[in-house]
């Protein structure tokens, strides 16, 4: 229960926690941010890590001078693209060993099936669209690797998606995160960002339950 309360507090008060970490560790905070985004996008066992909300919060702190905006942009884009590449190659390496098993430790087959449905609907554009949907974001490059999507195709769409994802949330936080109304309600805003991020996945899940063959 204590761990659960800590993670809830971490999600809802990212700005406070980031300020503490920045004050304590300085430039090493960039490495921590890189690691979190890399793991959230690169490890299929870590889709629960903060992504959208973390990038938004760092953008808000960059506006107040806690971070360098340009450095953040480079670090977070590299983390997002590098993470997806690791995920793609992991899926490519495992291949049929994943698809032929009902359940794999830490990986539920329905999560993979849901991502397959995204590919059926959007094709390679899924690599871009999935960037903005938690959980699907983590599994999309893994499924692309399993499905043997040509690497040049994958890396092209993945780079575009990664830059768009990081830029939109980072600059959103930078320009709007320090407005007085936002600062006074920052916890609610972060919760809203998380909720809006999850909304497409929730809608897709409901649609898939109503129509298992489509989305």
């Amino acid at each position: 229960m204590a761990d659960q309360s800590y993670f809830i507090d971490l999600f809802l008060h990212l700005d406070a926690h980031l300020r503490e970490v920045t004050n304590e560790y300085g430039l090493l905070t960039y490495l921590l941010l890189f690691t979190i985004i890399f793991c959230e996008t690169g490890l299929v066992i870590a889709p629960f890590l903060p992504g959208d909300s973390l990038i938004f919060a760092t953008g808000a702190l960059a506006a107040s001078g806690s971070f360098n905006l340009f450095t953040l942009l480079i670090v977070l884009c590299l983390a997002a693209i590098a993470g997806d590449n690791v995920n793609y190659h992991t899926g490519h390496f495992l291949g049929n060993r994943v698809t032929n098993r009902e359940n794999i430790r830490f990986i539920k087959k329905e999560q993979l099936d849901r991502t397959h449905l995204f590919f059926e609907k959007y094709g390679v554009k899924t690599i871009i669209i999935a960037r903005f949907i938690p959980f699907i974001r983590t599994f999309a490059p893994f499924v692309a690797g399993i499905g043997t999507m040509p690497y040049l195709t994958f890396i092209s769409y993945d780079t575009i998606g990664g830059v768009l994802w990081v830029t939109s949330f980072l600059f959103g936080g930078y320009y709007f995160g320090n407005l007085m109304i936002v600062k006074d309600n920052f916890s609610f805003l972060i919760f809203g960002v998380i909720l809006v991020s999850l909304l497409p996945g929730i809608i897709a899940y409901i649609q898939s339950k109503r129509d298992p063959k489509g989305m």
Side-chain angles (χ1 to χ4, degrees):
M1 185 65 68
D3 288 341
Q4 185 179 12
S5 299
Y6 171 77
F7 278 111
I8 292 174
D9 183 65
L10 179 64
F11 272 98
L12 295 181
H13 302 95
L14 277 172
D15 58 332
H17 288 288
L18 282 174
R19 282 194 178 94
E20 293 171 7
V21 172
T22 304
N23 292 335
E24 179 98 14
Y25 299 104
L27 291 177
L28 285 177
T29 308
Y30 289 103
L31 179 59
L32 175 63
L33 294 172
F34 179 96
T35 302
I36 294 174
I37 296 300
F38 175 85
C39 290
E40 197 257 357
T41 58
L43 304 178
V44 289
I45 63 173
F48 55 85
L49 290 173
D52 305 331
S53 54
L54 178 64
I55 296 173
F56 187 92
T58 57
L61 290 178
S64 66
S66 298
F67 294 106
N68 179 277
L69 182 65
F70 180 74
T71 303
L72 270 180
L73 180 64
I74 298 300
V75 168
L76 297 178
C77 283
L78 287 177
I81 295 169
D84 266 20
N85 271 264
V86 168
N87 224 339
Y88 172 90
H89 289 295
T90 301
H92 186 72
F93 175 75
L94 294 177
N96 291 332
R97 281 173 283 185
V98 172
T99 55
N100 289 339
R101 295 178 61 180
E102 284 298 312
N103 284 298
I104 301 169
R105 193 177 185 184
F106 304 120
I107 303 174
K108 293 183 178 180
K109 190 173 184 296
E110 56 264 31
Q111 293 172 324
L112 296 177
D113 291 341
R114 203 174 306 153
T115 309
H116 274 295
L117 289 175
F118 266 80
F119 274 100
E120 289 178 9
K121 183 173 183 178
Y122 298 109
V124 293
K125 290 184 293 185
T126 297
I127 299 299
I128 295 177
I129 297 170
R131 281 289 190 182
F132 297 87
I133 307 174
F135 290 91
I136 295 294
R137 170 168 62 241
T138 304
F139 288 98
F142 186 74
V143 172
I146 293 174
T148 62
M149 176 186 289
Y151 181 68
L152 286 179
T153 301
F154 169 79
I155 191 62
S156 298
Y157 281 87
D158 184 63
T159 300
I160 294 171
V163 172
L164 284 175
W165 176 53
V166 170
T167 300
S168 60
F169 281 97
L170 185 64
F171 282 90
Y174 185 82
Y175 286 111
F176 301 108
N178 284 289
L179 295 177
M180 189 56 64
I181 188 172
V182 174
K183 291 177 71 173
D184 290 343
N185 300 279
F186 199 85
S187 297
F188 293 104
L189 179 67
I190 290 298
F191 183 77
V193 169
I194 296 170
L195 184 62
V196 170
S197 300
L198 290 172
L199 198 56
I202 294 172
I203 294 172
Y205 177 77
I206 294 172
Q207 290 177 336
S208 67
K209 287 296 184 182
R210 291 178 177 174
D211 181 14
K213 295 181 180 180
M215 291 190 62

